[in-house]
Amino acid sequence: MQAAGTSFLEKCARQKRLPEYDEFWAAVRKGVGRDIGSAWRQVPQLLRQISEQSLKENRLAITALVVAGGISGGPSEGFFALSVREGLLEESEAPLEGVEWPGMSERQRSFWLEQVQKIFDFYS
């Protein structure tokens, strides 16, 4: 699943596009070639695994490309939690645990857009 997800995201990066979460899951399912169950529990873990590998390889969290609502929307809070854990984003920008995430702060949005541009540049 990780290889299928990474391959799909690298293709999206080369095309300079942001896939939605459901499109990402459909691509993983197609890449695996069999039923892989519900996305609900698996997508966050899979995105974390892909991010960690991507960060090891090139210090870019390629999963920044996966969004809800396109460029006007953005990634989930998991992207920002991972970015803080990896030292890419200040700790003050970590989503609060146990509190419903209100959406991106201005600083989080700026950071995310910078990351997307770095990914696009890397893969072009």
Side-chain angles (χ1 to χ4, degrees):
M1 286 179 24
Q2 187 173 338
T6 300
S7 176
F8 173 72
L9 291 178
E10 289 173 344
K11 179 180 174 185
C12 290
R14 287 189 297 275
Q15 295 171 345
K16 296 184 177 357
R17 69 182 194 86
L18 304 174
E20 298 275 337
Y21 286 93
D22 58 347
E23 180 186 1
F24 168 76
W25 189 244
V28 170
R29 186 175 24 221
K30 182 178 179 184
V32 170
R34 62 179 168 78
D35 182 26
I36 53 176
S38 170
W40 182 74
R41 290 184 186 254
Q42 296 185 75
V43 166
Q45 293 298 332
L46 180 57
L47 290 174
R48 181 187 52 76
Q49 292 168 351
I50 292 170
S51 287
E52 288 172 351
Q53 187 62 40
S54 176
L55 285 163
K56 283 180 191 174
E57 291 174 1
N58 54 41
R59 289 301 291 161
L60 296 170
I62 195 168
T63 58
L65 301 181
V66 184
V67 298
I71 195 75
S72 62
S76 72
E77 66 269 27
F79 169 72
F80 298 104
L82 175 88
S83 296
V84 169
R85 263 194 327 273
E86 293 293 328
L88 301 173
L89 185 62
E90 304 89 45
E91 196 166 320
S92 63
E93 293 299 328
L96 299 174
E97 290 188 35
V99 177
E100 186 175 335
W101 191 50
M104 282 186 278
S105 69
E106 196 171 307
R107 175 63 190 118
Q108 287 170 333
R109 177 170 280 286
S110 176
F111 169 76
W112 169 62
L113 292 172
E114 289 169 13
Q115 295 304 301
V116 168
Q117 189 58 56
K118 287 179 181 179
I119 293 164
F120 287 169
D121 291 347
F122 182 83
Y123 283 93
S124 49

